Amino acid sequence: MNFDEILRQTRADLCLDCGKCTGSCPVTRVDPTYSPRSTIERVLSGRPEELIHNEHLWACLTCGLCTTRCPSNVDYPAFVVAARSVARQAAVEGTYAHNAVMQELMGIMALPIRQKRTGWLADGLKTVTQGDDFYFVGCLPYFDVLFEDLGVVSTDAARAAVRLMNALGIAPVVSDDERCCGADLLLNGDVQGFRRLAEINLRVIAASGAKRVIFTCPEGVNAFRHDYPAVVGALPFEVVHLTELLAEHMDALPLHALGETVTYHDPCRLGRYLDVYDAPRAAIRAAGATLVEMRANRENALCCGSTGWVHCGRCAKGIQTTRLHQAQATGAQRLITACPKCRIHLSCALKDLDIDIKLEDVTNLLCRAVELDTD
Amino acid sequence: MTNQAEGFQPRIVVFACNWCSYAGADLAGVSRIQYPPTTRVIRVMCSGRVTPGFILEAFRLGADGVLVTGCHPGDCHYISGNENAVVTVDKTGRLMNVLGIEAARLRLEWISAAEGARFARIMTEFTEQVQALGPTALKDTTL
Ligand code: SF4
Ligand code: SF4
Ligand code: FES
C-alpha cells in the first residue's frame, strides 16, 4: 500500500487539523513532542518518508482514544499500523521490548513445532481434545516464564477460565498446537507473519471440530473478529470473549457475594475496539462486589501504556502511573482487568509505586465468588 | 531426516564473551586442538549481553544447539554479567520447554582465556549431545 491509499482508507485525508487527537492522546501527555495531528499533516503535505524514520511511528499505542473523538472519523491506529508495514518494507522496525523475545517467540510459533503449552492445566479441570468449544489460551504459558519477576502468574486466569466454563457445563478443547494469535505482529506491520500464524490457528481449530472459540485475551478476540477475516476469509466458528459468554449465563453460576470494593480497567481492545463494556461490569456485580469507576472509564478509559511489545519506556511508565493513581483514587481494594497484558503492564508500574491495590483478572474474581479454588 | 551420529552435522551457535571465552576459543585454535567444525562463534562483550531473544533467534534461524560461554564466577570483567547469564539461560530453557525445543540444546559454560583445551572438550561433548537429539522440529517439513 502506498501513502495515498493509506490516507484514503483510514480517512486521514479528511483530517481537519483540529488537534482533538493530540489533545486526547495519553502519549502526548507524557511526551509533548508527540502529535498524531502533525504526523498526519506531514504525510498529507507530501513527506511520508519522514514518518517512516520517525520513532513516533512506534510510540502510538493504537489505543483508539483519539478515534472516538475525531470529528472526521479518522482511524489513526489503522493509519499507524499501515504506515508501520510500509516502514517494514523499508527494513525499518521499532525498538522491541524485552529484547524482542516476544517477536522471536511469535517467529518460532510460525514454524513447525510441537509445543508443550498446556502444562498449566491442573487437576480437576475438564478439557477435551475434540469438541464444540475451543478455549484459545493465547501466550499466557510464555508470559508465566517471562514475567515471573513481576509476580504475575498469567495462567491462573486460564485455570479460572476453565473452572468457570466447567461450571457452565462446558469442557473446552485446549491444544498444545495453538499458536500466538499474531496480533502483535500485525500491530508492528508484519502482515506476512500474522497470516502464517492465522493459517496455523485455523487448521488447529478446524481439527478440533469447534464451533465456538472462547478467549480470555481481548487481543485474541479482536484479532479473530476484526483481522483474521481480512487475511484468511470468513471464520467457520463463533468468536467470544469469556465475559460475553458469562454475561449470558450468569444465573447458572452459584455465586456468593464477595462484599469487596473493586474498580475495573477497560482494555482498549475489549472496550473501544469490541464495544464490550457491560459484560465484565455485570460479572463483577454478579460476584457481589461493589464496582467504583475510575475517572477515565469505558470509551474514555486510559490504555495500560504499552502495546505490541514495542517502544516501552518513559511514556508507558507515565501512563501506567496515572492509571494506577486513578485506581487508587477510587479507594478500591482491587483493580480488575480482563486482559492478561494490561495486568502485566500495570503490575510492572505498581512494583515501583506505593499504592495498596491488588490486580486481578475478572475470571479469578468470579472464581472466588463461586468459591472455586484458583490457586 | 537423519539424526544418526554419522549423518547429521548439527549447527551450534556459541556466544563467547570478549574477555575470557573468546580468548579461550582462540587458544584452542592457535594450539591446534581438534574439535568438531559444528560451531559458529559470535563474540559478545560479556555473557550478560546475551538475551533470551538472541538465543531464540539462533534457533529460529536454524541452530540445533546454543552454547553460552563466559568468564568463571568472580572473573567477569563487568563484575556480575555472568550472573545475569545464569538467569537468562535458565529462563530461556523454560521458554524452550513450552516451545517444545529440548532444553538440552542450550548450555551455559564458564571458559577462561587459558582454557583452550576445555573449550575444545566442551564443544566435542556438546556436539555429541546435540547430534544425539537430531535436528530441531523447527526444520521438520513433515509437521
Ligand atoms: S482529531 Fe481527527 S480531524 Fe482532528 S486533527 Fe486529529 S485526525 Fe485530524
Ligand atoms: S491511538 Fe492512542 S496512542 Fe495512538 S495517537 Fe491515538 S490516542 Fe494517541
Ligand atoms: S566479561 Fe566474560 S562473562 Fe562478563
Side-chain angles (χ1 to χ4, degrees):
Chain A
M1 233 193 310
N2 61 34
F3 268 98
D4 284 342
E5 279 171 65
I6 294 174
L7 287 166
R8 219 176 15 255
Q9 281 189 12
T10 61
R11 300 173 53 91
D13 58 348
L14 302 179
C15 171
L16 304 168
D17 218 12
C18 71
K20 274 201 174 207
C21 48
T22 306
S24 315
C25 178
V27 174
T28 310
R29 294 272 165 100
V30 186
D31 174 6
T33 66
Y34 176 78
S35 162
R37 180 200 59 79
S38 64
T39 303
I40 291 179
E41 193 195 327
R42 274 197 297 270
V43 173
L44 276 174
S45 61
R47 286 172 290 158
E49 39 329 304
E50 280 184 14
L51 177 56
I52 291 177
H53 298 287
N54 186 337
E55 62 157 356
H56 281 169
L57 177 58
W58 311 95
C60 174
L61 302 163
T62 67
C63 73
L65 187 58
C66 53
T67 307
T68 62
R69 298 177 182 172
C70 173
S72 273
N73 217 357
V74 173
D75 191 345
Y76 192 75
F79 169 82
V80 162
V81 168
R84 285 178 184 177
S85 77
V86 176
R88 225 187 138 73
Q89 283 157 21
V92 179
E93 291 180 59
T95 304
Y96 295 121
H98 311 288
N99 290 291
V101 66
M102 279 310 301
Q103 280 71 21
E104 286 305 330
L105 289 170
M106 291 186 280
I108 292 177
M109 277 189 252
L111 297 169
I113 47 167
R114 292 192 197 89
Q115 294 169 96
K116 296 190 179 118
R117 55 149 63 222
T118 53
W120 54 271
L121 282 167
D123 284 351
L125 296 180
K126 287 196 277 299
T127 59
V128 292
T129 50
Q130 292 269 313
D132 288 346
D133 289 293
F134 189 106
Y135 173 32
F136 195 94
V137 179
C139 295
L140 308 191
Y142 295 101
F143 295 166
D144 275 5
V145 179
L146 287 169
F147 302 109
E148 62 180 355
D149 308 355
L150 296 176
V152 180
V153 182
S154 296
T155 54
D156 61 13
R159 281 181 288 273
V162 174
R163 288 205 165 91
L164 292 171
M165 287 183 231
N166 288 171
L168 293 179
I170 299 169
V173 176
V174 170
S175 171
D176 269 322
D177 292 324
E178 180 192 312
R179 304 299 212 265
C180 168
C181 69
D184 291 321
L185 290 180
L186 190 65
L187 219 57
N188 286 299
D190 184 359
V191 184
Q192 257 182 4
F194 176 71
R195 180 178 292 120
R196 273 199 294 275
L197 291 173
E199 284 167 353
I200 302 175
N201 277 325
L202 285 198
R203 278 205 299 278
V204 171
I205 293 166
S208 76
K211 299 187 183 70
R212 179 168 62 182
V213 182
I214 304 169
F215 296 78
T216 39
C217 182
E219 302 241 303
V221 199
N222 182 60
F224 271 68
R225 243 183 229 171
H226 289 156
D227 303 316
Y228 272 38
V231 298
V232 289
L235 304 181
F237 46 76
E238 194 191 335
V239 169
V240 290
H241 189 262
L242 182 61
T243 59
E244 295 177 282
L245 183 68
L246 290 170
E248 284 169 31
H249 302 281
M250 208 59 83
D251 305 342
L253 290 178
L255 293 160
H256 305 266
L258 286 174
E260 52 195 51
T261 305
V262 306
T263 187
Y264 173 69
H265 168 82
D266 290 278
C268 301
R269 313 287 147 186
L270 199 58
R272 281 183 290 266
Y273 278 66
L274 294 159
D275 248 337
V276 179
Y277 296 110
D278 295 325
R281 286 177 168 80
I284 290 169
R285 292 205 181 91
T290 308
L291 176 66
V292 281
E293 294 286 358
M294 283 183 272
R295 190 166 155 260
N297 61 67
R298 299 178 71 99
E299 44 283 294
N300 292 319
L302 193 59
C303 175
C304 71
S306 184
T307 49
W309 309 109
V310 73
H311 209 85
C312 178
R314 188 169 64 95
C315 284
K317 197 49 87 64
I319 295 165
Q320 287 151 1
T321 304
T322 305
R323 191 56 165 163
L324 289 166
H325 281 135
Q326 288 181 357
Q328 183 186 35
T330 64
Q333 295 151 274
R334 286 175 195 256
L335 170 54
I336 307 300
T337 71
C339 173
K341 292 178 185 170
C342 294
R343 190 171 154 216
I344 289 164
H345 295 144
L346 293 171
S347 299
C348 176
L350 188 60
K351 74 180 187 318
D352 300 329
L353 295 169
D354 190 19
I355 293 178
D356 186 22
I357 200 160
K358 201 173 162 0
L359 279 152
E360 188 178 40
D361 192 272
V362 66
T363 53
N364 290 97
L365 174 100
L366 274 173
C367 259
R368 285 194 295 118
V370 199
E371 288 185 345
L372 296 169
D373 182 25
T374 61
D375 316 309
Chain B
M1 212 170 305
T2 167
N3 57 359
Q4 259 79 60
E6 333 82 66
F8 167 57
Q9 274 292 334
R11 278 189 281 182
I12 294 174
V13 170
V14 183
F15 291 103
C17 85
N18 182 61
W19 302 104
C20 286
S21 310
Y22 193 80
D26 228 18
L27 184 61
V30 295
S31 318
R32 302 180 177 237
I33 307 170
Q34 294 292 312
Y35 64 90
T38 47
T39 51
R40 316 290 195 269
V41 180
I42 298 175
R43 182 164 59 161
V44 285
M45 285 311 283
C46 173
S47 63
R49 176 65 184 93
V50 178
T51 66
F54 283 11
I55 297 167
L56 294 177
E57 185 175 0
F59 283 111
R60 178 171 63 79
L61 294 175
D64 300 294
V66 174
L67 178 67
V68 180
T69 61
C71 312
H72 285 269
D75 289 349
C76 170
H77 287 235
Y78 306 96
I79 301 171
S80 56
N82 48 8
E83 290 168 24
N84 293 347
V86 174
V87 175
T88 297
V89 167
D90 168 69
K91 212 174 219 190
T92 312
R94 283 180 293 135
L95 289 172
M96 287 165 60
N97 279 335
V98 184
L99 283 168
I101 303 174
E102 301 87 340
R105 294 182 186 275
L106 173 62
R107 209 200 250 195
L108 175 66
E109 292 285 354
W110 310 132
I111 300 170
S112 82
E115 294 176 321
R118 179 174 157 80
F119 180 87
R121 183 166 49 74
I122 288 170
M123 278 321 307
T124 309
E125 262 175 43
F126 190 50
T127 299
E128 283 164 8
Q129 184 179 337
V130 174
Q131 222 158 19
L133 289 167
T136 63
L138 277 58
K139 289 180 276 185
D140 189 346
T141 47
T142 63
L143 270 182

